[in-house]
Amino acid sequence: MLRSMLLGSVSLALLAPAAAHAQAADTGVGVEEVVVTAQKRAENVQDVPISVTAFSGKALEAAGVQDVRDLRRITPNLSLSTSGQVTNTRVQIRGIGTAGNTAIEPSVGFFLDGIYVPRIGALLSGLNDISSVEVLRGPQGTLFGRNASVGALLLRTTDPGPDFTAEVFGSIGNYGRNRASAIVNMPINETLSTRVSLLAFEGDGFTRNDLTGKRVGRNKGFSSRVSVKWEIVPELTWTLKGDYQHLTGDGQIAPTVIEKTVTPTAAANFRTRLDPDQAGPLTGQTPYLTGTYRRRVFQNEEGDLQDYQTGVSSDLTWDLPSGFTVKLLSGYRDWHDRQYQDSGIYVPQPFQTRQSTFDSQSHSQELQLLSPKDLLAGKANFVAGLYYYEEDYDINQAGDLFPAFCSVFLRNTSTAARVALCQANPLKDASKSFFSQTTKSYAAYAQGTYNITEQLSVTAGLRYSKDDKDGIFRAVTLNPAAAQAPEVTPLTHNKDKITYRFNVSYRPNDDVMLFASYATGFKSGGFDASPGTTGPVGAVNRTFNPETTKNYEVGIKSEFFDRRLQANATVYRTDIAEFQFRSYDGLQFRVRNNGEVRQQGVEFDLVGRPLPPLTLTFSAAYLDSKYTDFRGAPPLPAFTAIQDLTGERLPFSPKWQGAASAQYVGDLPNGMTWLARGDMAFTSSQNLSASGDNNPDAVQGGYAQFGARLAIRGPEQRWELALTGQNLTKEDYCVVIFNQPNNAAFGLNNPATGGTVLRCALNEPRTIAVEARARF
């Protein structure tokens, strides 16, 4: 289906009729005006006293953003990285965030068409028909509530319009990366319009497995969106949107070994423990622990991913005669993810399988009241709302043991009695765990702005939130050798919280705005869904507290030279208490409150248009990071004593990040144009230890990436042919670093340094693609 759709898209692009209609090219001389909804109403980004970076759909297209994780290339202080499983995607702003394959709530709130999306895994099926993306840095607790404690990402799909338009797109790239999409906007009558968007993509994966001869990271995806906009009467509009996504493949990333962490003793122990000459399928083969930045592995790495989701959003907007607006936002999302792995410990032998399932069903209702902008003779405006949200969330894990687990792994790492115990008990369904949680959240909020003078404004906001969580954790162990403790633990967690924001803005002239703000936020507490290994964990140890945030900011937003230059900057300090972090305890990851944190720094964004055809951008962020109190930090892998990391830098917190681009549009005969664009993104060194132990071996050096786009476009951009590339200099680096599972049993620990053999989840290699697009 994908290849047929792709060939059809390319053919239509090349045969686009001269009468086709498309959006006119930008003929202005100033920087493009970007409209955002960071304060629940449509405003010019330059009028919003928040550290926000916004991109239009056209800007995302030019930068080659096709996946939500691509946003990290163009947004400093935003990080998205995947490790182990696709669902294990970590999202961070200003160095703070969490992985997505646990019951821990996110620190960065995701909103699709104004509806909260609770799990990042539900947004990894590709971006299609996106009209804008807004990255809000700093707590958004007043207007966006819980789980936006360090920021929010607002994604908006394109609304149906009053005119008939259509678009087809196709691309062919290396590593078997093919992509095709189609969009049709069709008005039914003067008051009713519809829009349909389809996307299909596939890829062969970036890593070769020398054990199986297959590539790892294979994927196929399909995404569809349907929307209807009905102007019931001039004052009442209803926009209804639905989407369906399906993602398949192996769901793997094949992490490679960081070779400098492999001592001769560790390499010898690894070979001895695996004992390939007696493991049947690997007779005569030698497993290896090599490969820093190698895109080749020798490990049992087959898998199967089935990820489905559906979503519905409704926006009913009533413009009252008084100038007030009433909005009712309703949303529903159903996400199911099934991930099977032949092995989760990255060794050649078939020792044990892992099957993980994630199910989330959520729905929400939000009633908003927006005042007119000129309330009290232009002196004031406000927004207020009531909010209800509910989610049922299940995480289930199951594991089978292969005979080699008993006869090879346990024989070489444990006792004869344990080997006998393993062989005497069932290997099928050796261990299972079931976690189920229901969350109900209620909130009421209000935020208002008062203009003391034409130049000076104050804004204040307040939100009350209440969370009720109930859950249960069950673990069933049929084979004691699986190292999982049986357990049945009911769970409950109820908290309420008040968050608030205060802001002062001053405009010395029409082109400059200065602002200072203080805001608070919180991330819900909850439950650890990981099984115990030596005994039941219990309700007390499974429950962790809410994470609270206080944020101070001063900033400037400015435009110069008749809007040819836009310069924005923010200085901030964020203090976090009861910091939630998922850290490694020697056998598995556990969620805990990791003390207190301070993140502070500077962010700035520059956009220049010195000539009408030339647009330049440069954004950068400096981050000063430290634990202000972390006396119970996890030990290094080979040690048992806890650490005091007070004063140390947090992992995933580089000192410098930046992005720059240059784009030039030139004229060709017969109304055609050409486009040349270059992009650069850089990140300084950072510790990427997922274990929370600040292992010095887990430091990734700084790197820079370069991308480019060359395109020829028809009159009024009715068609386009383009050559694109990312990571053109073939820069290799880790995005996450973690301990080799079962490191102690394999004899990989270094008693002199406390370190162990580390695994590295790699970035994408150099990718090249040819694209064709036609608009009608």
Side-chain angles (χ1 to χ4, degrees):
M1 182 190 72
L2 176 60
R3 288 181 173 84
S4 299
M5 190 174 176
L6 180 64
L7 290 173
S9 298
V10 173
S11 300
L12 282 170
L14 295 176
L15 299 174
H21 172 75
Q23 193 173 23
D26 182 11
T27 59
V29 296
V31 172
E32 176 187 18
E33 180 178 313
V34 178
V35 176
V36 299
T37 56
Q39 297 190 117
K40 299 288 188 180
R41 64 171 81 232
E43 300 172 286
N44 186 327
V45 67
Q46 292 300 102
D47 296 330
V48 178
I50 296 173
S51 179
V52 52
T53 299
F55 305 96
S56 66
K58 289 174 59 178
L60 297 174
E61 175 188 313
V65 174
Q66 297 181 337
D67 183 292
V68 67
R69 287 165 290 193
D70 292 337
L71 292 170
R72 65 193 174 198
R73 291 193 281 103
I74 59 175
T75 313
N77 259 352
L78 171 68
S79 172
L80 299 99
S81 55
T82 298
S83 172
Q85 299 171 320
V86 172
T87 53
N88 188 3
T89 296
R90 180 184 299 272
V91 185
Q92 300 189 162
I93 286 181
R94 295 174 175 173
I96 302 297
T98 50
N101 63 339
T102 68
I104 192 170
E105 303 285 359
S107 304
V108 180
F110 275 81
F111 295 82
L112 180 62
D113 292 318
I115 305 301
Y116 177 60
V117 180
R119 307 295 160 189
I120 178 59
L123 290 172
L124 300 180
S125 299
L127 297 177
N128 57 309
D129 206 18
I130 298 296
S131 66
S132 67
V133 172
E134 303 169 35
V135 182
L136 281 56
R137 305 183 187 99
Q140 307 299 319
T142 302
L143 294 182
F144 294 96
R146 59 194 288 278
N147 305 336
S149 56
V150 297
L153 264 69
L154 313 184
L155 287 78
R156 291 203 168 271
T157 59
T158 306
D159 287 343
D163 301 317
F164 173 82
T165 60
E167 177 180 313
V168 291
F169 168 85
S171 71
I172 300 174
N174 58 342
Y175 297 101
R177 297 177 309 110
N178 301 317
R179 192 176 183 92
S181 66
I183 301 170
V184 176
N185 189 98
M186 181 177 296
I188 305 301
N189 55 43
E190 292 184 354
T191 62
L192 183 65
S193 298
T194 63
R195 189 175 181 92
V196 177
S197 171
L198 304 175
L199 167 68
F201 59 90
E202 64 183 5
D204 291 341
F206 300 124
T207 303
R208 177 179 173 82
N209 191 343
D210 290 339
L211 178 64
T212 63
K214 297 180 179 180
R215 300 200 70 83
V216 181
R218 306 181 301 275
N219 69 88
K220 287 186 178 181
F222 174 76
S223 174
S224 61
R225 303 187 190 276
V226 179
S227 56
V228 179
K229 188 173 184 178
W230 181 21
E231 188 180 283
I232 303 172
V233 296
E235 300 81 15
L236 184 64
T237 303
W238 185 27
T239 303
L240 182 66
K241 298 183 178 183
D243 63 81
Y244 168 80
Q245 280 93 36
H246 181 204
L247 182 64
T248 66
D250 58 23
Q252 308 279 55
I253 62 161
T256 59
V257 171
I258 297 182
E259 200 163 2
K260 70 178 183 180
T261 64
V262 182
T263 65
T265 300
N269 288 342
F270 189 69
R271 289 191 294 269
T272 301
R273 303 295 199 273
L274 292 177
D275 197 4
D277 291 334
Q278 299 185 35
L282 299 176
T283 300
Q285 299 187 51
T286 302
Y288 53 75
L289 279 176
T290 59
T292 300
Y293 301 148
R294 275 171 53 98
R295 298 187 186 273
R296 303 175 73 97
V297 296
F298 186 82
Q299 54 203 39
N300 193 26
E301 195 70 18
E302 282 302 295
D304 180 66
L305 171 68
Q306 297 293 331
D307 185 291
Y308 300 88
Q309 63 169 301
T310 56
V312 178
S313 66
S314 170
D315 181 341
L316 186 62
T317 300
W318 184 17
D319 295 321
L320 302 176
S322 60
F324 284 82
T325 297
V326 177
K327 279 179 177 275
L328 177 61
L329 295 175
S330 307
Y332 171 79
R333 185 152 299 275
D334 188 352
W335 173 54
H336 301 273
D337 181 276
R338 305 286 185 274
Q339 172 71 68
Y340 170 81
Q341 294 173 278
D342 271 353
S343 173
I345 59 175
Y346 314 115
V347 296
Q349 276 84 348
F351 282 160
Q352 58 189 126
T353 69
R354 180 170 70 168
Q355 180 165 308
S356 306
T357 64
F358 302 86
D359 291 322
S360 170
Q361 295 84 42
S362 63
H363 63 89
S364 63
Q365 301 284 339
E366 183 173 2
L367 181 63
Q368 299 176 359
L369 175 64
L370 290 84
S371 77
K373 288 283 288 184
D374 57 354
L375 193 66
L376 301 180
K379 284 283 190 179
N381 64 80
F382 72 85
V383 57
L386 300 172
Y387 181 76
Y388 175 76
Y389 164 84
E390 183 173 338
E391 182 197 24
D392 293 321
Y393 187 38
D394 299 306
I395 303 175
N396 300 327
Q397 307 275 353
D400 299 339
L401 301 180
F402 287 101
F405 182 86
C406 308
S407 61
V408 177
F409 177 70
L410 287 185
R411 189 198 68 203
N412 293 331
T413 62
S414 189
T415 63
R418 190 168 176 79
V419 172
L421 186 67
C422 177
Q423 294 174 332
N425 284 279
L427 301 181
K428 176 70 174 175
D429 293 329
S431 63
K432 291 184 176 181
S433 66
F434 310 89
F435 172 80
S436 182
Q437 167 186 284
T438 296
T439 300
K440 295 181 179 180
S441 181
Y442 316 82
Y445 65 88
Q447 178 173 293
T449 298
Y450 184 76
N451 302 318
I452 300 173
T453 68
E454 292 185 356
Q455 297 173 300
L456 182 64
S457 302
V458 294
T459 298
L462 185 74
R463 186 185 189 106
Y464 171 79
S465 302
K466 186 178 189 300
D467 275 6
D468 295 331
K469 287 188 176 184
D470 294 293
I472 187 169
F473 177 84
R474 293 181 293 127
V476 178
T477 304
L478 299 184
N479 192 319
Q484 174 180 281
E487 181 178 353
V488 178
T489 302
L491 301 161
T492 185
H493 180 81
N494 302 309
K495 291 288 184 180
D496 60 355
K497 190 70 177 176
I498 293 176
T499 52
Y500 49 91
R501 174 175 179 248
F502 182 75
N503 172 272
V504 178
S505 302
Y506 176 70
R507 284 191 172 275
N509 56 56
D510 292 341
D511 297 325
V512 177
M513 179 178 67
L514 307 173
F515 65 90
S517 64
Y518 173 75
T520 65
F522 87 104
K523 181 168 71 171
S524 297
F527 313 120
D528 188 341
S530 303
T533 52
T534 58
V537 177
V540 173
N541 291 328
R542 286 198 176 277
T543 304
F544 50 87
N545 295 323
E547 177 182 293
T548 59
T549 306
K550 298 178 181 179
N551 188 72
Y552 312 81
E553 289 186 0
V554 294
I556 180 173
K557 296 197 171 185
S558 58
E559 294 176 331
F560 303 99
F561 310 118
D562 202 17
R563 291 186 55 246
R564 287 182 174 86
L565 175 64
Q566 188 178 95
N568 301 334
T570 304
V571 180
Y572 67 90
R573 169 180 285 184
T574 304
D575 290 323
I576 301 175
E578 298 287 353
F579 180 55
Q580 296 172 6
F581 195 81
R582 187 169 177 250
S583 54
Y584 197 63
D585 66 2
L587 290 173
Q588 64 194 78
F589 286 91
R590 305 221 65 87
V591 179
R592 63 192 75 195
N593 294 102
N594 275 8
E596 299 182 355
V597 167
R598 171 170 291 170
Q599 305 283 84
Q600 57 188 2
V602 181
E603 300 157 339
F604 67 85
D605 299 279
L606 301 175
V607 183
R609 198 169 182 182
L611 301 171
L614 178 63
T615 301
L616 305 173
T617 71
F618 180 57
S619 302
Y622 169 79
L623 175 60
D624 176 28
S625 165
K626 70 175 181 180
Y627 289 106
T628 53
D629 184 4
F630 194 14
R631 288 166 286 184
L636 290 172
F639 296 156
T640 58
I642 62 172
Q643 300 184 86
D644 182 358
L645 294 182
T646 301
E648 297 292 322
R649 194 174 191 88
L650 272 69
F652 304 97
S653 295
K655 184 176 290 187
W656 287 100
Q657 286 180 291
S661 71
Q663 178 173 299
Y664 190 91
V665 179
D667 294 328
L668 292 172
N670 302 318
M672 297 183 3
T673 58
W674 61 273
L675 178 147
R677 178 187 174 96
D679 291 272
M680 184 271 288
F682 65 89
T683 300
S684 65
S685 63
Q686 58 182 314
N687 192 302
L688 296 179
S689 173
S691 302
D693 56 11
N694 276 22
N695 187 339
D697 290 334
V699 173
Q700 167 63 55
Y703 53 86
Q705 280 189 296
F706 297 88
R709 180 184 184 86
L710 298 173
I712 298 177
R713 306 188 296 190
E716 297 180 317
Q717 299 183 41
R718 294 192 297 262
W719 58 265
E720 179 182 270
L721 294 175
L723 175 66
T724 69
Q726 299 296 335
N727 193 12
L728 295 177
T729 56
K730 301 175 69 172
E731 189 79 16
D732 291 329
Y733 56 88
C734 303
V735 295
V736 178
I737 295 174
F738 55 94
N739 300 343
Q740 163 66 41
N742 298 110
N743 49 304
F746 283 128
L748 305 181
N749 290 346
N750 187 333
T753 65
T756 192
V757 171
L758 297 178
R759 291 275 178 173
C760 160
L762 279 171
N763 67 309
E764 294 185 357
R766 179 171 61 192
T767 56
I768 306 292
V770 177
E771 301 177 350
R773 187 187 309 270
R775 298 182 174 95
F776 305 86

